[in-house]
Amino acid sequence: MTTPPYPEDPEQPAYPQDLEQPGLVRTGRSTFVRPIRPEDADRLVAFVGGLSRATLAYRSLGPVIRARDDVIRRGAYVDYLNELALVALAGDEIAGLVRYVRDTEDPEHAEVTFTIRDDDQSEGFGRLLLEHIAAAARARGIRVLKADVLADNTRMINVFLGSGYRVESGPPGQIVHFDIAVDPQAQAVARAERREHTAVRRSLRPLLEPRSVAVIGANRRPLTIGHELVANLLRGGFRGSVFPVNPQAEQVAGARAYPSVRELPEPPDLALIAVRAEAVPEVVRECAAAGVKAVVVVSTGFGETGAAGRTTELELSRFARASGMRLVGPNCMGVVNTTPAARLAATFSPALPTPGRVAMSSQSGPLGLAVLDLARRLRLGFSGFVSVGHAVDVSTNDLLQWWEEDPETSVILLHVETFGNPRRFARIARRVAPRKPIIAVHPGHAGHAQTTGQVDSGVRGGPDRRGNPAGHADPSGPSDSTGPSDSAVSSLFAQSGVIRTRSLQELFDAALLLAHQPPPPGNRVAVITNAGGPAALTVGACAASGLSVPPLGERTREKLRAALGPGAEAANPADLTPMATAAHYRQALDAVLADDGIDAAIVLFMPPLADKPDEVAAAILDAAEAAPAKPVVASFLGGAGVADLLHRGELVVPTYAFPESAAASLGHAAAYQAWRSTPAGVVPDLPGVDTDRARSLLAGCAPGPVSPRLAAELLDSYGIAVRDTGPGSGPGSLPSSGLGSGLDAFLSVGADPVFGPVVAFGLTGDYADLMADVAHRVTPLSDRDAREMVRSLRAAPLLDGRVGGPGVDLAALEETVLRISAMVEDLPEIEAMELRPIRLLPPGDGVAVTRATIRLADETRKGGLS
């Protein structure tokens, strides 16, 4: 047993579990980054023993003699605060090591060194470890990392220069000195995101475009999971090799079987695992040893069974990433990729999707079976479908980055309850959604409160359950309201560019439209019908979906009268009467689609006894083809098999059983197009922000509520002054001169499981508590977000002076919102925050924050950049 180089200090920080993170190097290879531990001592000796003389020379800045083993072992003992070492694992071995040691005379500076195993020096481990050590150092109050590098060590020099961090280098010479400022500069974040995006796509290629697939647990009996996995791979036309693995069988579904993954003729890119839960860890180890690059664990019996199962699946994930593999699942139904490059049906689902333009990620395995069956009945084609199961490794965030650049995918569907990294989801979604619609099914849940989304309990009109006076929250306990209201959830999705639906049917209805028709340029809809009753329902559904049914232009009315006869009602809706023919439908559609005041058309058809739906369908297709810039949707009430009639090659007019569904889908598409067409705004550089001071104030702080004094100092670091009037006092104790608006507001920040940090704003009192008049936005907020947030309240006329006086200083209020957003983005340690009350002052006088509460997250729940 190795003796630690220093006695354990009970005041030293515990092992930082939050620094354990999977990683991807530039080539797409998986790894696992974590702090070094004492039990790594022998592993560290082996790592150093395998370094070449050249690498040792670069590491020590000159000729070296290898250190004694006992000296090397001492490097496995760090205090995780003043000295920290991170290792990147390749299997059970160390592939890379980075270490900083804090400067005792200048605690905001630290010396950093990097060592990468010779065979791994061109894969990007140095850049990955720099990102991780920079984030860890920043969280520990270190502002600058100092490094000395030999002038001919071009790889390491390029890592520093290309990192995006602010780098200052000393004068040229044999040794180059670098000062690396570890604040998260926008350029550094952008470069890290680009590196991550490239690495993610490369790592997913063996999963989604494998050259060979092994099925471990293949079964000879049809209708078993192990048999159907093999049968679907063969039935789906997979062009690569399929290797069933079953020690008791010679063939499975007509394919030659092998006794183990070790005896396959070649290392498969992808392995599907369908064995008992207790056998899965050993199978995953065998796959790693055989060189498998990705595994899909279909097996159940993990996190859904309790804490022990959750621990096992997390260990599986860590082992897979350290072994260079990606892992889907466990408890999933597999992976489908219908694109020509793959033709992969790695699933046991009896319903395989037809090729199409839609990709979907589903967190529920059983739900995935229903999804594929429903999509097939709706004739909705898929480019890809991934059941992520418990998503311990491959997540929806990863898949979004794959489908972002997939030319075969034009619409992305999501069924997820939570995201492992909501900050990352929001960043990726905002980047993808302007080019490809993202539609998510999210019915809402009990954790979303119906009022203010306050971060602490006890902020209502009277004393709370702890006896605190009204308006003074106690940040020490659990929240009564843990998230925004259901309507606010929709606005948060919309801010990120994600179309939110509440049911699978609504999800597919919207996908059917966006996969086959363009989003409308506006929200003005023409309704064409041969029955008045359904038309009235459609007009009401349009209004409920944010659409308008405006009067038609005079020229359009003339065309309708000429086509339908002088007695026809040339209005909107255009009622063609039950006597209308297919020709009447074509003429009416041509007329309304040519109207500059119309953006889309909904066509209703109630088949009379003597007419043929196929002729009407053909007329609708002809009109839609002639006006490709405006979407056309249809509802053939009582018509069976109409979906087949409204297809002509690549041209598809979505058809719905009921007109309300058509209107709702068109409403989603119109709202998406409005979001996509709106300028995004900018996240401004705010004067008076001292991020370094704020980080130093947080260094060493324990989780939980901070003191009022520290809260005020943190806010002051971001240019927000707090005039705390003390316990029991209120805003009335402020000087009355110039504070005459009489309006108080609040700003709060809380963590949402889908979106991450959410800012809530509203007026105090009845406005928020009774009327639920609260606006929510996801960080980071742009100047446009802040402006729209403040002005979106129903009480906004009180703020801008339209009602009850001169109004308030909106510019100062918006700036305060932006400063709070910047603070939360820069300091992920902040789990919750509330400024209440904020006195809103007349124009030109600013705002007065009278009390602030801040709560810090536990280390294991901190957000990060990746």
Side-chain angles (χ1 to χ4, degrees), residues 85-388:
L86 303 178
V87 293
L89 298 178
D92 197 41
E93 300 176 347
I94 297 173
L97 169 74
V98 61
R99 181 188 306 270
Y100 79 64
V101 178
R102 193 189 299 264
D103 189 328
T104 56
E105 296 182 358
D106 189 352
E108 292 187 347
H109 289 67
E111 190 79 26
V112 65
T113 55
F114 294 78
T115 311
I116 310 299
R117 195 168 58 179
D118 286 71
D119 292 342
D120 301 305
Q121 288 179 1
S122 61
E123 295 203 30
F125 278 94
R127 189 157 295 174
L128 176 69
L129 287 172
L130 174 58
E131 293 170 12
H132 283 258
I133 200 69
R138 188 166 59 245
R140 286 155 179 78
I142 293 171
R143 191 168 53 85
V144 176
L145 293 174
K146 302 183 294 183
D148 290 318
V149 183
L150 287 175
D152 62 344
N153 189 355
T154 54
R155 282 179 175 164
M156 203 68 238
I157 290 174
N158 289 335
V159 165
F160 293 149
L161 295 179
S163 67
Y165 294 105
R166 290 204 311 268
V167 176
E168 295 183 4
S169 57
Q174 183 179 0
I175 296 176
V176 182
H177 177 79
F178 289 95
D179 285 337
I180 307 157
V182 297
D183 55 319
Q185 292 292 301
Q187 185 181 20
V189 173
R191 290 188 182 183
E193 288 183 352
R194 286 197 298 271
R195 188 201 65 79
E196 175 203 54
H197 175 73
T198 301
V200 164
R201 285 188 54 79
R202 287 176 176 169
S203 75
L204 293 181
R205 193 168 299 281
L207 171 71
L208 297 172
E209 294 181 355
R211 293 166 298 182
S212 54
V213 182
V215 180
I216 304 170
N219 199 307
R220 287 172 292 187
R221 289 186 293 114
L223 302 183
T224 60
I225 289 177
H227 183 277
E228 296 308 306
L229 286 170
V230 178
N232 279 345
L233 283 166
L234 300 174
R235 188 183 308 132
F238 179 61
R239 292 190 174 93
S241 302
V242 178
F243 303 123
V245 175
N246 183 333
Q248 309 300 323
E250 293 184 0
Q251 283 191 343
V252 174
R256 178 188 172 184
Y258 296 83
S260 74
V261 69
R262 295 186 299 272
E263 299 180 53
L264 297 179
E266 63 182 71
D269 283 344
L270 173 63
L272 311 179
I273 300 175
V275 300
R276 301 184 319 275
E278 56 269 24
V280 169
E282 179 58 32
V283 170
V284 172
R285 283 192 287 271
E286 289 180 359
C287 288
V292 174
K293 298 180 179 66
V295 293
V296 175
V297 180
V298 176
S299 310
T300 61
F302 293 90
E304 74 275 14
T305 65
R310 180 63 178 165
T311 298
T312 300
E313 66 185 21
L314 290 176
E315 290 173 350
L316 277 177
S317 170
R318 290 169 180 168
F319 175 80
R321 294 300 290 264
S323 301
M325 297 190 300
R326 299 305 306 267
L327 184 149
V328 173
N331 192 13
C332 70
M333 57 169 288
V335 176
V336 175
N337 186 355
T338 68
T339 63
R343 299 183 65 178
L344 175 72
T347 176
F348 56 86
S349 171
L352 296 181
T354 56
R357 308 289 297 174
V358 177
M360 182 173 184
S361 167
S362 173
Q363 204 161 20
S364 169
L367 181 65
L369 297 173
V371 162
L372 293 181
D373 180 63
L374 177 61
R376 194 171 186 90
R377 286 189 282 113
L378 292 175
R379 293 195 58 165
L380 183 65
F382 275 73
S383 59
F385 178 89
V386 179
S387 169
V388 295

Side-chain angles (χ1 to χ4, degrees), residues 603-614:
V603 184
L604 308 179
F605 177 67
M606 179 72 75
L609 293 177
D611 208 351
K612 297 180 179 179
D614 56 338

Side-chain angles (χ1 to χ4, degrees), residues 502-714:
R502 291 172 174 80
S503 68
L504 282 176
Q505 185 66 57
E506 189 181 1
L507 177 87
F508 282 116
D509 286 345
L512 200 62
L513 190 156
L514 287 167
H516 300 300
Q517 292 282 306
N523 71 337
R524 301 164 301 178
V525 179
V527 178
I528 297 176
T529 181
N530 65 348
L537 292 174
T538 304
V539 172
C542 284
S545 302
L547 303 170
S548 69
V549 183
L552 299 175
E554 180 57 36
R555 186 175 180 184
T556 304
R557 293 198 299 271
E558 290 176 1
K559 290 180 180 179
L560 287 175
R561 283 191 289 265
L564 306 176
E569 185 179 353
N572 192 10
D575 188 350
L576 309 184
T577 77
M579 303 303 294
T581 65
H584 290 139
Y585 269 93
R586 172 66 196 271
Q587 291 167 330
L589 257 179
D590 284 342
V592 299
L593 291 175
D595 191 327
D596 291 338
I598 295 298
D599 301 306
I602 299 177
V603 184
L604 308 179
F605 177 67
M606 179 72 75
L609 293 177
D611 208 351
K612 297 180 179 179
D614 56 338
E615 294 178 359
V616 175
I620 294 171
L621 286 169
D622 290 340
E625 189 173 27
K630 295 181 180 181
V632 177
V633 298
S635 178
F636 276 39
L637 292 89
V642 176
D644 293 334
L645 300 178
L646 287 167
H647 284 243
R648 181 189 294 162
E650 295 294 318
L651 176 63
V652 177
V653 170
T655 181
Y656 303 92
F658 300 103
E660 294 89 344
S661 299
S665 300
L666 202 53
H668 285 310
Y672 166 71
Q673 179 63 18
W675 174 84
R676 191 168 67 167
S677 303
T678 302
V682 296
V683 178
D685 291 328
L686 299 166
V689 171
D690 190 345
T691 308
D692 293 336
R693 176 192 172 199
R695 290 200 183 103
S696 65
L697 288 169
L698 286 176
C701 287
V706 305
S707 68
R709 180 181 182 85
L710 179 55
E713 291 183 356
L714 286 169

Side-chain angles (χ1 to χ4, degrees), residues 632-830:
V632 177
V633 298
S635 178
F636 276 39
L637 292 89
V642 176
D644 293 334
L645 300 178
L646 287 167
H647 284 243
R648 181 189 294 162
E650 295 294 318
L651 176 63
V652 177
V653 170
T655 181
Y656 303 92
F658 300 103
E660 294 89 344
S661 299
S665 300
L666 202 53
H668 285 310
Y672 166 71
Q673 179 63 18
W675 174 84
R676 191 168 67 167
S677 303
T678 302
V682 296
V683 178
D685 291 328
L686 299 166
V689 171
D690 190 345
T691 308
D692 293 336
R693 176 192 172 199
R695 290 200 183 103
S696 65
L697 288 169
L698 286 176
C701 287
V706 305
S707 68
R709 180 181 182 85
L710 179 55
E713 291 183 356
L714 286 169
L715 287 162
D716 184 66
S717 300
Y718 278 80
I720 301 174
V722 179
R723 310 183 198 182
D724 198 327
T725 56
S729 58
S733 62
L734 286 168
S736 59
S737 175
L739 306 184
S741 79
L743 293 176
D744 285 346
F746 71 88
L747 274 170
S748 69
V749 179
D752 183 88
V754 173
F755 302 100
V758 173
V759 179
F761 167 72
L763 301 183
T764 58
D766 293 345
Y767 295 103
D769 294 340
L770 298 181
M771 299 169 59
D773 189 16
V774 181
H776 297 81
R777 293 294 186 274
V778 183
T779 64
L781 272 67
S782 69
D783 54 357
R784 187 181 187 91
D785 292 329
R787 185 166 57 253
E788 291 178 349
M789 182 182 192
V790 168
R791 289 165 169 77
S792 67
L793 296 183
R794 292 194 296 277
L798 296 173
L799 303 179
D800 60 18
R802 285 177 284 167
V803 174
V808 304
D809 193 337
L810 288 173
L813 178 58
E814 292 164 12
E815 184 177 317
T816 302
V817 171
L818 290 170
R819 290 181 183 275
I820 291 297
S821 171
M823 184 174 178
V824 173
E825 284 295 297
D826 290 345
L827 307 174
E829 298 90 337
I830 295 177

